[in-house]
Amino acid sequence: MFNVGVKYCGNCNPVINSKKILDALVKGMPGCRFGPPDAGVPALLILSGCETDCATRPGLQVETIVVAGLSVDYVSCKEEDIPEIVTKKLIEIKGRMMA
Amino acid sequence: MPMMTGAEYIESLRKLNTEIYAFGQKIENFVDHPLFRPHINAAAVTYDMAHEPEFEDLVTVKSHLTGKKINRFTHIHQSTEDLVKKVKMLRMIAQRTGTCFQRCVGFDGLNALYSVTYEMDQALGTGYHKRFVEFLKYVQENDLMSAGSMTDPKGDRGLRPSQQADPDMYVRVVKKTGEGIVIRGAKAHQTGIVNSHYMVIMPTVALGEADRDYAVACAVPVDAPGIFHVFGRQTNDERRLEGEIDTGNARYGIVGGEALTVLEDVFVPWDKVFMCGEYQYAGMLVERFASYHRQNYGGCKCGVSDIIIGATMTLAEYNGAAKASHIKDKITEMLHLSETLYCCSIACSAEGRKTASGAYYVDPLLANIVKQNVTRHIYEICRLAHDIAGGFIATLPSEKDFLSPKTGPFLEKYFRGVAGVPTEHRVRIARLVENMTGGTALAESMHGAGSPQTQRVMIMRQSNMEHKKRLARKLAGIPEQE
Ligand SMILES: Cc1cc2nc3c(=O)[nH]c(=O)nc-3n(C[C@H](O)[C@H](O)[C@H](O)COP(=O)(O)OP(=O)(O)OC[C@H]3O[C@@H](n4cnc5c(N)ncnc54)[C@H](O)[C@@H]3O)c2cc1C
């Protein structure tokens, strides 16, 4: 099982539904376990509701994917494309770690 | 070259061959001409303050490109702290000049181009960002002032650039060669352009495929062959040619000193071309530039308002009315309006975000709120200043009448306020209020950085309305699927 730490921003005025995005990821990636951003997780997923991206970082030096409003890793995208983009990135991270 | 001082900046302008026209004449020595010098002095403050330890934390910063200390006006924002410091710097400088110091427009153009060229290259495989970074290094190393040249004359506002009866109504590419491009058209209302080194040209509007030739961004020296500038008139500008007191702010003038800049087949080498035909990215560039520029107004206009409020309070004291409760209440209202602008600018900076290039961008919704408020609050601040100042700001005789042996003693006597304050002081403050609160100074708050409707379009677009509707439906007990 590949553990991914998830950190939300608090969602004061979100332009995306972060929970729905995570649900899609959980459903689409049965080989991944999405849980709290504890020490020891090999990857981190930041889910910020808007592009201000104010989620406090847990201070882990691990591969990180940043979803911030309508963007993934600071590249604009549509909300419905976010799970697919994140999935691709997680597969790449997993591949790098296996290599 | 290290950061320039104000004096070095002024000397650097003498080396240019900038072609300028005003009052129907070609201006030979604009640097020492009283029509232009106040604007040059105001821009020079941005250079001088970088050398004063008291202000350097705001006015200087470490370049992320070279690691060297540079003037913040040539910097690319690397954090929300940088965005906040920009606003504080603008307020602080405006408190010294009492007017536009012109350097923010080019600063915003550089920041907008930095992130947009990066994203354009990522999506289209073009190579603009690298070129742009080279130009930016040159700007930083030589501490250059660039004008931000976005607004086209636009002709018929109801038509797109490619639909205009005269195709030159928007700047466009008329020729491409192996060495570069040739552009034609004009840029309107160009703040500080006559005393800049470069102009950073960008499109004015989002463009479609038919407008491809108009999708052009580039940097050109303001004295390049084919360029000339026709200086705009300002309220009371001829007073500068007559004396000192009647201008109100003799050292720095009012507003920025705007010009119509004509580009008659100007050659631009490829290394200074940052967009050429990529019409899909014109809208993003306009939006980024506009949001950065709208961020500024709660900084500089708040600094200018600090002076207007100080002048109005001083005048109330000179008039003997300062203790009246309605005067105190009106001054409180002026403070409230002005600090509201500041709050908005700080907020859009603190809520800034990282772009793919690593540079930081303001929150566009809040930045548009800043500017929308400026189109109203500054008018109200000036209305209250007029109320408190009294009618003599509209009827004062000229400085020459105060100096005349026949009329001077009578004016001295009848324009006196409270005992102990020289009449001249009362007149000086009144002239400052008059010049800072009317005519050109007001129109700048309305249209500078875009007319109010352009902000309202952005506000609605960024409003996150679906979220608001969802929240309301949930509280009203309407099931989610509806
Ligand atoms: C003092 C000052 C300094 C400036 N400095 C700079 C500068 O340094 N660089 C720069 O590039 N620009 C600068 N500007 C230009 C500024 O951004 C423009 O003035 C502003 O964008 C408005 O454009 P306009 O003046 O052509 O007015 P217009 O566009 O003619 O607007 C007039 C009115 O018509 C409306 N309107 C216009 N077009 C349409 C349309 N298609 N549909 C519906 N309504 C429409 C507007 O909303 C507005 O109410 C400056 C302006 C001023 C006043």
Side-chain angles (χ1 to χ4, degrees):
Chain A
M1 203 43 103
F2 187 67
N3 286 325
V4 181
V6 179
K7 183 78 180 80
Y8 289 101
C9 66
N11 287 292
C12 68
N13 189 15
V15 295
I16 55 168
N17 187 336
S18 302
K19 221 166 149 289
K20 212 166 136 192
I21 290 168
L22 189 64
D23 287 348
L25 287 170
V26 170
K27 213 167 140 200
M29 299 195 79
C32 286
R33 184 187 297 129
F34 295 89
D38 297 330
V41 292
L44 191 62
L45 173 64
I46 302 290
L47 286 174
S48 284
C50 78
E51 288 173 42
T52 299
D53 182 24
C54 68
T56 309
R57 304 303 200 254
L60 304 175
Q61 300 302 316
V62 295
E63 295 238 34
T64 303
I65 299 168
V66 179
V67 173
L70 296 174
S71 74
V72 180
D73 288 340
Y74 312 107
V75 176
S76 302
C77 59
K78 291 188 186 132
E79 180 167 7
E80 58 267 30
D81 296 340
I82 293 176
E84 195 189 321
I85 299 170
V86 173
T87 301
K88 273 194 196 139
K89 287 187 178 253
L90 280 172
I91 291 170
E92 276 168 28
I93 292 176
K94 218 168 138 184
R96 274 201 296 278
M97 293 194 154
M98 301 292 192
Chain B
M1 149 151 349
M3 292 180 300
M4 280 195 269
T5 62
E8 285 164 345
Y9 156 67
I10 292 170
E11 281 315 299
S12 75
L13 297 177
R14 294 188 198 283
K15 296 188 188 120
L16 304 177
N17 289 315
T18 315
E19 193 177 331
I20 305 168
Y21 297 84
F23 293 107
Q25 282 171 2
K26 189 170 177 193
I27 306 294
E28 293 304 339
N29 171 11
F30 75 98
V31 176
D32 300 307
H33 195 295
L35 202 58
F36 304 91
R37 190 54 187 246
H39 304 301
I40 295 172
N41 289 339
V45 172
T46 69
Y47 285 93
D48 274 334
M49 282 188 145
H51 298 272
E52 295 178 50
E54 221 182 317
F55 308 113
E56 71 166 357
D57 194 48
L58 292 181
V59 187
T60 67
V61 64
K62 198 164 111 178
S63 164
H64 74 293
L65 297 174
T66 63
K68 289 185 194 154
K69 186 173 169 181
I70 53 168
N71 192 301
R72 188 177 293 279
F73 283 99
T74 65
H75 182 51
I76 300 300
H77 314 294
Q78 297 297 304
S79 61
T80 52
E81 187 190 345
D82 270 348
L83 291 168
V84 168
K85 286 199 169 180
K86 176 195 187 196
V87 173
K88 295 186 177 195
M89 169 181 78
L90 299 179
R91 181 173 186 173
M92 182 275 292
I93 298 175
Q95 287 174 341
R96 267 83 196 163
T97 60
T99 188
C100 173
F101 33 90
Q102 312 136 43
R103 227 176 148 188
C104 68
V105 207
F107 183 17
D108 297 330
L110 295 177
N111 273 276
L113 275 165
Y114 187 86
S115 64
V116 173
T117 52
Y118 184 91
E119 285 171 50
M120 192 159 58
D121 288 356
Q122 296 287 305
L124 306 178
T126 44
Y128 293 119
H129 187 68
K130 199 162 161 270
R131 273 184 204 170
F132 178 75
V133 167
E134 287 311 308
F135 172 65
L136 180 64
K137 278 191 202 154
Y138 173 70
V139 168
Q140 291 186 344
E141 274 160 22
N142 294 282
D143 202 4
L144 300 179
M145 173 161 161
S146 357
S149 301
M150 178 162 278
T151 310
D152 291 287
K154 297 187 294 207
D156 182 338
R157 270 73 174 149
L159 298 177
R160 307 203 53 74
S162 54
Q163 297 170 329
Q164 297 287 330
D166 181 342
D168 297 341
M169 284 298 136
Y170 288 76
V171 169
R172 68 193 167 116
V173 179
V174 289
K175 198 171 157 193
K176 287 184 202 168
T177 69
E179 285 73 44
I181 58 172
V182 176
I183 56 173
R184 187 185 302 159
K187 289 290 181 185
H189 320 288
Q190 295 299 290
T191 295
I193 197 158
V194 300
N195 48 296
S196 291
H197 304 99
Y198 264 84
M199 59 191 294
V200 173
I201 293 176
M202 297 162 279
T204 304
V205 286
L207 301 170
E209 198 171 353
D211 307 315
R212 194 181 278 275
D213 290 344
Y214 296 88
V216 58
C218 56
V220 199
V222 297
D223 62 345
I227 297 185
F228 63 92
H229 313 271
V230 189
F231 201 57
R233 290 218 68 169
Q234 292 186 333
T235 313
N236 302 336
D237 53 6
E238 274 181 320
R239 292 187 190 181
R240 290 179 197 172
L241 314 175
E242 293 168 4
E244 184 218 340
I245 294 180
D246 292 353
T247 63
N249 182 359
R251 187 158 176 76
Y252 301 118
I254 54 161
V255 196
E258 278 69 31
L260 177 82
T261 295
V262 178
L263 302 143
E264 278 285 280
D265 293 344
V266 177
F267 172 73
V268 189
W270 282 114
D271 66 333
K272 302 276 185 311
V273 177
F274 314 127
M275 175 187 280
C276 184
E278 294 78 9
Y279 62 91
Q280 313 92 310
Y281 281 81
M284 181 191 273
L285 185 55
V286 172
E287 214 167 287
R288 294 247 167 116
F289 169 80
S291 297
Y292 278 128
H293 202 42
R294 289 168 192 170
Q295 168 205 20
N296 301 346
Y297 276 67
C300 65
K301 290 288 169 221
C302 188
V304 166
S305 297
D306 287 330
I307 296 181
I308 294 174
I309 295 167
T312 308
M313 191 68 204
T314 304
L315 208 45
E317 287 165 5
Y318 289 177
N319 290 349
K323 293 201 178 94
S325 63
H326 80 98
I327 299 282
K328 283 190 198 150
D329 188 53
K330 283 166 184 162
I331 295 280
T332 306
E333 179 63 8
M334 291 167 83
L335 290 165
H336 164 242
L337 292 166
S338 162
E339 297 297 344
T340 302
L341 301 179
Y342 186 60
C343 291
C344 295
S345 281
I346 292 292
C348 74
S349 310
E351 290 285 281
R353 67 251 340 237
K354 195 172 169 179
T355 63
S357 67
Y360 272 69
Y361 176 47
V362 290
D363 180 311
L365 170 66
L366 300 183
N368 278 279
I369 301 285
V370 178
K371 178 66 218 319
Q372 179 77 187
N373 277 338
V374 165
T375 66
R376 301 168 181 176
H377 290 201
I378 295 296
Y379 279 72
E380 183 61 8
I381 287 169
C382 294
R383 189 184 75 79
L384 291 167
H386 291 178
D387 174 350
I388 294 170
F392 82 131
I393 59 163
T395 64
L396 263 174
S398 80
E399 184 177 352
K400 285 185 183 142
D401 293 312
F402 277 88
L403 295 174
S404 146
K406 163 74 185 163
T407 54
F410 289 95
L411 299 183
E412 190 70 28
K413 175 180 158 85
Y414 290 115
F415 279 104
R416 186 171 285 274
V418 294
V421 173
T423 303
E424 185 188 320
H425 291 189
R426 186 166 177 258
V427 170
R428 278 183 180 272
I429 285 283
R431 286 293 185 208
L432 184 63
V433 170
E434 181 210 356
N435 283 283
M436 287 182 78
T437 57
T440 311
L442 271 180
E444 193 217 358
S445 294
M446 182 63 72
H447 290 291
S451 314
Q453 188 57 25
T454 56
Q455 290 116 50
R456 298 183 82 78
V457 170
M458 289 272 286
I459 289 167
M460 191 58 182
R461 201 188 306 150
Q462 306 273 341
S463 68
N464 199 4
M465 190 57 75
E466 282 312 312
H467 178 58
K468 295 183 203 321
K469 290 196 299 192
R470 251 194 322 270
L471 294 173
R473 286 196 301 259
K474 193 172 174 194
L475 271 189
I478 299 170
E480 183 59 30
Q481 12 341 351
E482 198 176 297

